[in-house]
């Protein structure tokens, strides 16, 4: 979300990330309720999960603020390609 260069793409990605985080959070909750790890480990995993998206957004905003717009668009495209490739790889292995 932080690397988006237009409002339209930011809104679309915000909705997609929100739906994804909701489903992933539900799956994480089910997984944690079925495991026998301690409460501290469960809380740690939930905190890491909750902070991952805001941290990524902040890093993306920082990158776009620190570099010229053309470089920011190139970085955004590279991260988009890397994330799409990793999703395709994970889907192929599943």
């Amino acid at each position: 979300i932080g690397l988006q260069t237009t409002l339209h793409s930011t809104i679309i990605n915000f909705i997609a990330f929100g739906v994804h985080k909701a489903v992933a959070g539900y799956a994480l909750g089910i997984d944690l309720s079925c495991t026998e790890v301690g409460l501290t480990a469960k809380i740690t995993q939930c905190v890491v999960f909750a902070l991952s998206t805001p941290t990524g957004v902040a890093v993306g905003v920082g990158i776009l603020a620190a570099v010229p717009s053309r470089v920011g668009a190139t970085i955004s495209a590279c991260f988009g390609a890397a994330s799409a490739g990793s999703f395709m790889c994970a889907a192929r292995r599943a």
Side-chain angles (χ1 to χ4, degrees):
I1 294 173
L3 285 172
Q4 300 307 309
T5 55
T6 65
L7 179 61
H8 178 62
S9 61
T10 302
I11 291 170
I12 290 172
N13 279 299
F14 183 79
I15 293 168
F17 281 25
V19 171
H20 172 77
K21 287 294 267 191
V23 173
Y26 182 74
L28 176 63
I30 290 173
D31 189 44
L32 289 177
S33 69
C34 295
T35 61
E36 296 189 17
V37 296
L39 181 62
T40 304
K42 289 179 181 180
I43 291 172
T44 302
Q45 290 175 1
C46 287
V47 168
V48 169
F49 177 80
L51 293 178
S52 63
T53 298
T55 302
V57 170
V59 168
V61 169
I63 288 171
L64 285 181
V67 299
S69 63
R70 176 168 268 170
V71 174
T74 303
I75 292 171
S76 178
C78 290
F79 275 102
S83 64
S86 65
F87 284 130
M88 289 175 62
C89 181
R92 182 173 174 225
R93 294 177 187 219

